[in-house]
Every structure is written in structure tokens, then in C-alpha cells.
Amino acid sequence: MKLGSYTVQAAAARAGISTHTLRAWEARYRAVEPERAPSGHRRYGEHDVERLQKIAALVRCGHAVGEVAGLADIALDRLFQTEPQRASRRLPLDASPGIRARADSLMQAIETFDIARVTMHVKWLRAALGVRAFVLGVAVPLFARLGELVAASSLDVCQEHALSAVMRDQLGDMSHSLQALSCGEVPETTVVFAAPEDDLHEFGILLGAALASVHGLGVYYAGANLPAKNLAAAVAAVRAPLVVLGNAPVPATERRIAFADYLAQLDGLLPPTVDLVVGGAGDRPRTSLDSHRTFAYVNALDELDHLLETRSRKG
């Protein structure tokens, strides 16, 4: 069989990424599986390069690398083909050059780890765009960029934590501000946001909570790493008809309880009238629940946004 004609440097250049990023995507997500020359060096074929180009393009549009790098070719092609429609829902199509320039400056500040400027740009964009456009047009691609830098080992853990803290504070403040501006009215529907036991990832549920507040829904943010019994208790206490559960790709070796078992446990604890929505790039072990309650996966934040908007209309 003829070896691929691209070296690691050439393949990375064609995809518009660094060689370090390419090696990280291979090691962590098996994005491509190049052949080896007798010398032991990697050799990439045209198919490998095309996959890398699509993955890189999707990451630049705001997808987490862990969400797309391991997709089969058919699924990757389908997502790549639908991206223009999804991308149009991020920064407003009529966004001024000033807003787009500020968004670019934010990304540059992230790459140079200038926390003060990151904070300044985030606050400016939040005020200029409003919560919904900020979440979908700024926060989503920002977190994707963080993921890319971490995967490429270009981001030190202390820098990652500092950048994460900026966004965590801003997202929390947005949700609290919107709830405070409800003029004392009690929302008819409260949504509980949580991530399961041993899942420490909270950005997805933070973003979702901000979107729920935009649509006038009550928000109970239960946080990450939450055992099923505690989540069920919170749902009962606030009488929430809807739970949004994060589902990050946590390795099985780092879970005390498998995600499928967690879902089954939660299903048995929740009242039958409570609906469950799961979002994130983790495994999807179930297509239905034993109780036959309303249960759905969402593929991206804009899908969750549409679901929450629909839910707010129903009251």
C-alpha cells in the first residue's frame, strides 16, 4: 500500500494548525490515524488532511475539538455541511466592524494570556451584544478556543483557570442580573442546571443557565459533580418541570458511576412530570428512559436555546 505523501509538518500546514496541535488531536481524540514509514515517521494521506481541515474549520466556528475530532467521516461531513447555517446564529449578521474587531481582540488576548484585556473585552462585548448574542456569538467560540489551546498543550493549567474564572464570573453575573430584573415576578417555569457526579465541567450548564434567564425562565443552578439523589432533591424543592444535565466526555476510569447508570438512577428519583435534557460531547448511552419520561439530547447551545425559547412560550 502506498504511504501518504504528507509529513506531519505538511499536513498541519494544509489544515492551518500547528504540528503540536495535530499531535495532540491524534493522541487525545484519534482525529486521524496516519500510517508509519519504515523510519517510524508519520505519513498522512489526502483523506487525513481533508479530515483535519474540516475539524479545524469547525473548531474555529466554535465547536469543541473533543466534540468533532472523533466523529466518523459521515457525521463529520454532515456537521461541516450544516455549519454555515449554524454559524449565522452566532455574531449578528449586521454586527458592526467595531464589534467584530473587539471579538478578534478578545481571541488575541486569550492567545497571549492577557487576563486584564480578556476581562475588558468580555465586559465590553457583553454590554454591546446583550446576553443571548454574547453567549452564542462570543462565549461558545471562546470556550472552543480554550479547548483547542489546552489540547495543544499551549495553555498552562494556571492560565486556563484564570481565563475560566473570568467567564464564570461574567456568566454568573448575567444570570443573576436577569433574574433580579424580573421586577419581583416569579417565573412560571424553573429549570435546574447540573452536571453529574464526577463531572467537573460546568461551562455548558453556565451558558445554558444564561440562555434560560434570557427567555424569562427561572434558573436553579445546582452546579457540577452532583450525585443523582442531591439533584433530585433540588428539583423537588424548587418544583422544576425541566432538568438540563451536562454531559462532558469524562473518561470511564474517572467516574465512580457510569453516565448510563447515573441517568437510570436519576430517572428513578425524579417525578414522572419532570422532563430531562442532556447536552455535551460525552457518550450517549440511552435513547429513552425506563420511565418513558420526555428525554432528549441536544447537540449544541443554539439547539438548547431554541428548546428553552419554546418552553418559555408554554409557560
Side-chain angles (χ1 to χ4, degrees):
M1 179 181 295
K2 183 179 178 181
L3 285 173
S5 57
Y6 296 95
T7 64
V8 63
Q9 292 84 2
R14 284 283 306 277
I17 58 177
S18 68
T19 55
H20 195 65
T21 296
L22 172 49
R23 291 191 178 101
W25 287 1
E26 281 183 40
R28 298 191 182 197
Y29 308 111
R30 300 184 68 180
V32 291
E33 297 183 45
E35 298 170 321
R36 294 274 182 174
S39 63
H41 294 115
R42 295 176 178 85
R43 287 293 182 269
Y44 300 80
E46 197 65 42
H47 172 260
D48 296 322
V49 170
E50 289 177 0
R51 274 189 61 85
L52 291 169
Q53 289 172 332
K54 291 172 183 176
I55 293 168
L58 289 167
V59 168
R60 285 191 291 270
C61 284
H63 291 272
V65 63
E67 174 190 344
V68 298
L71 291 176
D73 289 340
I74 293 176
L76 183 64
D77 288 343
R78 184 181 302 120
L79 183 59
F80 184 74
Q81 290 167 4
T82 60
E83 184 56 37
Q85 287 75 36
R86 295 185 65 249
S88 67
R89 298 191 64 181
R90 292 192 168 90
L91 276 183
L93 294 177
D94 59 348
S96 69
I99 288 177
R100 295 189 179 278
R102 182 74 67 153
D104 290 341
S105 296
L106 170 61
M107 291 302 177
Q108 291 170 8
I110 291 170
E111 293 180 3
T112 56
F113 312 122
D114 189 336
I115 305 300
R117 287 191 174 277
V118 167
T119 304
M120 177 186 70
H121 293 317
V122 163
K123 288 182 176 179
W124 191 95
L125 285 164
R126 171 187 161 186
L129 290 171
V131 176
R132 185 173 178 272
F134 176 83
V135 168
L136 296 176
V138 175
V140 170
L142 185 148
F143 285 131
R145 182 59 182 153
L146 281 181
E148 183 181 7
L149 290 170
V150 171
S153 300
S154 299
L155 190 68
D156 185 83
V157 65
C158 67
Q159 294 166 319
E160 179 192 4
H161 289 175
L163 290 168
S164 299
V166 171
M167 288 304 297
R168 186 182 297 111
D169 290 345
Q170 292 300 311
L171 290 167
D173 186 58
M174 283 190 291
S175 291
H176 292 316
S177 297
L178 285 168
Q179 296 287 306
L181 290 172
S182 61
C183 301
E185 296 180 3
V186 178
E188 294 183 13
T189 301
T190 295
V191 185
V192 175
F193 290 83
E197 191 171 1
D198 299 316
D199 184 345
L200 304 178
H201 301 79
E202 61 176 328
F203 292 122
I205 53 177
L206 276 169
L207 292 168
L211 290 173
S213 298
V214 169
H215 295 300
L217 297 167
V219 171
Y220 186 89
Y221 184 76
N225 190 24
L226 197 65
K229 65 178 182 180
N230 300 102
L231 176 52
V235 172
V238 300
R239 298 180 180 179
L242 177 63
V243 175
V244 176
L245 188 66
N247 177 28
V250 179
T253 55
E254 297 179 16
R255 290 186 185 270
R256 283 167 289 181
I257 177 173
F259 185 65
D261 295 334
Y262 184 93
L263 282 177
Q265 190 179 111
L266 184 62
D267 185 37
L269 293 169
L270 292 176
T273 54
V274 176
D275 298 337
L276 180 60
V277 174
V278 177
D283 293 336
R284 299 188 170 190
R286 287 174 172 266
T287 56
S288 62
L289 296 172
D290 294 341
S291 67
H292 304 296
R293 76 173 68 250
T294 301
F295 168 63
Y297 289 107
V298 291
N299 297 305
L301 261 297
D302 51 2
E303 289 185 24
L304 179 61
D305 177 60
H306 178 70
L307 183 150
L308 294 170
E309 182 179 17
T310 301
R311 192 70 184 229
S312 69
R313 292 171 182 167
K314 293 180 179 178

